[in-house]
Amino acid sequence: MADNLSIPEDYYDFLRELKGRILQAQVQAVISVNRELVLLYWQIGRDVLTLQQQREWGAKIIDNLAADLQKAFPEMKGFSHRNLKYMRTFAGTYPDEQFVQEVLAQIPWYHNIALMEKLKSSEERLWYARQTLEQGWSRNVLVHQMESGLYRRQGKADTNFSRTLPDAQSELAQQLLKDPYNFDFISLGKEAQKRELENALIERIRDFLVELGVGFAFVGSQYHLEVEGEDFYIDLLFYHLRLRCFVVIDLKVEVFKPEFSGKMSFYVSAVDDLLKHRDDMPTIGIILCKNKKQKIVEYALGDMNKPIGVSTYQLREALPEQLQGSLPTVEQLEADLEAVEIEIDEES
């Protein structure tokens, strides 16, 4: 063991920096391997497609290739009949090699398969691919975001951000908000109270954070503020790491009402005064309602000088008791999904 007394004072700073560089190199190596693999798959798919079109090779060629490549490279996965068909589809879907190189080769192969299987629009595929790169989505998260229609919900909240925030923050904040938010990971009855919704979201905070998006850090629920001797409680308080600001969320189990914006303006002002650091950006308020009417929201936010957004949310309604026992549990569905993924890996 090294003698700590003989170690220079700046040794541990150097060690910390060195560890960071090694970790970065490991990550880059993984990314590089993935990039080369996806490009190889695209090139194989392109060549198979070309030969089938130009020389009229039949579909049987895929079977022959799968058998011969698996025999030649027994240590390599990925040359199954099924995966070779994916390669051909991949090349047919994206004929531009430069686009594949710059975007799609940056995300894992099974992410690309999910994009092809779930989406028809090239515009949507590109959007989800770039979001995967920016936010580091796993394949399961990517599939969930596609199935929940995130592309159509992102940036759709009604806000006054363009008037109340600096330009750079306004644009980013607008894009981070959704409408509606998809809370299908919880089930509540039609007459659920506000506290039931709040408790359900806190119990499933990991799913809630995934739906909110990357960058939200949970600060607390029923967060206490004292103003001139009176107590006030914020439903949910977050801090956003990219926006560098607090985010106040007020939950409502009813349609939006004009007075909600006044209450939110008070909360935002209080957080700015009591919690906001001098280097933080202005606090943002989000009112989450069961429903809303466009013109009423527009009028309510029109003269507000605090940044406020209004969105709706969708819940998975609780099933009648007689049906609950006949449906698979979350644990059963996860086990089935894991079994399918193992089967795909073995085929590959």
Side-chain angles (χ1 to χ4, degrees):
M1 182 180 294
D3 184 358
N4 289 338
L5 295 177
S6 64
I7 296 177
E9 290 183 4
D10 54 355
Y11 168 78
Y12 290 105
D13 289 336
F14 170 71
L15 179 61
R16 191 181 305 110
E17 180 189 351
L18 193 58
K19 287 179 178 178
R21 283 159 53 192
I22 292 171
L23 180 61
Q24 185 178 17
Q26 289 176 326
V27 171
Q28 290 301 320
V30 171
I31 292 173
S32 178
V33 169
N34 174 78
R35 182 169 58 246
E36 294 303 319
L37 183 66
V38 172
L39 282 173
L40 173 64
Y41 285 173
W42 180 85
Q43 290 163 358
I44 291 173
R46 175 200 58 191
D47 293 345
V48 169
L49 197 60
T50 300
L51 289 169
Q52 284 186 321
Q53 290 173 345
Q54 293 182 354
R55 302 187 186 180
E56 298 184 354
W57 286 8
K60 192 70 176 176
I61 192 66
I62 298 287
D63 294 327
N64 294 340
L65 274 176
D68 290 336
L69 289 174
Q70 286 173 332
K71 182 177 179 180
F73 304 101
E75 74 286 355
M76 289 185 66
K77 295 182 178 181
F79 293 133
S80 67
H81 172 272
R82 182 175 184 174
N83 213 37
L84 283 167
K85 288 182 71 176
Y86 277 132
M87 294 178 206
R88 184 183 61 184
T89 303
F90 187 54
T93 303
Y94 308 106
D96 184 354
E97 184 172 5
Q98 185 175 353
F99 171 74
V100 173
Q101 210 163 14
E102 293 175 354
V103 180
L104 301 176
Q106 311 303 316
I107 62 177
W109 175 240
Y110 283 110
H111 286 59
N112 279 301
I113 290 177
L115 290 171
M116 289 189 294
E117 288 184 328
K118 296 286 184 181
L119 303 172
K120 300 298 182 185
S121 163
S122 57
E123 183 179 343
E124 284 192 49
R125 287 180 184 142
L126 175 59
W127 187 87
Y128 281 107
R130 286 180 169 157
Q131 288 293 311
T132 297
L133 273 176
E134 290 177 14
Q135 307 201 36
W137 288 340
S138 68
R139 182 180 180 276
N140 285 344
V141 171
L142 169 61
V143 169
H144 169 76
Q145 300 292 23
M146 288 189 290
E147 290 180 345
S148 71
L150 179 61
Y151 175 77
R152 296 183 297 276
R153 298 185 292 125
Q154 195 85 20
K156 303 301 182 184
D158 293 304
T159 76
N160 62 0
F161 293 166
S162 62
R163 187 171 51 79
T164 58
L165 291 173
D167 289 345
Q169 192 189 28
S170 168
E171 185 175 349
L172 177 57
Q174 183 69 48
Q175 287 307 309
L176 288 172
L177 267 61
K178 307 167 187 174
D179 188 30
Y181 282 85
N182 183 12
F183 297 156
D184 64 355
F185 49 86
I186 58 176
S187 60
L188 296 172
K190 291 183 178 179
E191 304 303 320
Q193 299 299 307
K194 172 178 170 177
R195 187 56 61 87
E196 291 180 76
L197 173 59
E198 181 183 325
N199 290 340
L201 290 173
I202 298 304
E203 287 174 7
R204 299 292 296 273
I205 190 64
R206 182 176 176 275
D207 298 301
F208 186 27
L209 287 169
V210 168
E211 177 60 12
L212 287 177
V214 172
F216 281 89
F218 181 56
V219 178
S221 64
Q222 289 301 304
Y223 193 92
H224 176 246
L225 296 176
E226 183 179 338
V227 181
E228 291 197 349
E230 294 192 37
D231 296 319
F232 298 91
Y233 296 89
I234 293 173
D235 287 346
L236 298 164
L237 183 62
F238 293 85
Y239 187 87
H240 199 279
L241 301 176
R242 288 183 64 191
L243 290 171
R244 297 291 175 188
C245 71
F246 284 100
V247 179
V248 176
I249 293 183
D250 197 17
L251 295 173
K252 302 295 181 185
V253 291
E254 55 188 313
V255 68
F256 175 83
K257 295 178 180 177
E259 54 264 34
F260 295 166
S261 57
K263 181 181 177 184
M264 177 57 79
S265 180
F266 169 82
Y267 284 151
V268 170
S269 295
V271 170
D272 275 341
D273 184 47
L274 301 174
L275 301 180
K276 177 179 173 289
H277 188 271
R278 64 177 179 272
D279 295 330
D280 287 339
M281 299 296 286
T283 300
I284 290 172
I286 305 174
I287 303 170
L288 287 181
C289 300
K290 197 169 186 179
N291 210 336
K292 63 180 179 179
K293 294 182 178 179
Q294 189 76 32
K295 213 64 179 176
I296 294 176
V297 173
E298 184 181 322
Y299 289 162
L301 299 184
D303 294 325
M304 285 287 166
N305 60 5
K306 293 295 180 181
I308 297 173
V310 179
S311 292
T312 58
Y313 57 84
Q314 294 177 339
L315 294 174
R316 177 168 54 89
E317 290 187 2
L319 290 167
E321 289 186 9
Q322 63 268 29
L323 291 181
Q324 289 179 3
S326 64
L327 295 180
T329 64
V330 172
E331 290 75 15
Q332 290 170 333
L333 290 171
E334 289 177 345
D336 291 343
L337 178 61
E338 185 177 348
V340 169
E341 289 181 339
I342 291 173
E343 181 181 342
I344 291 174
D345 287 340
E346 287 177 348
E347 288 186 1
S348 299

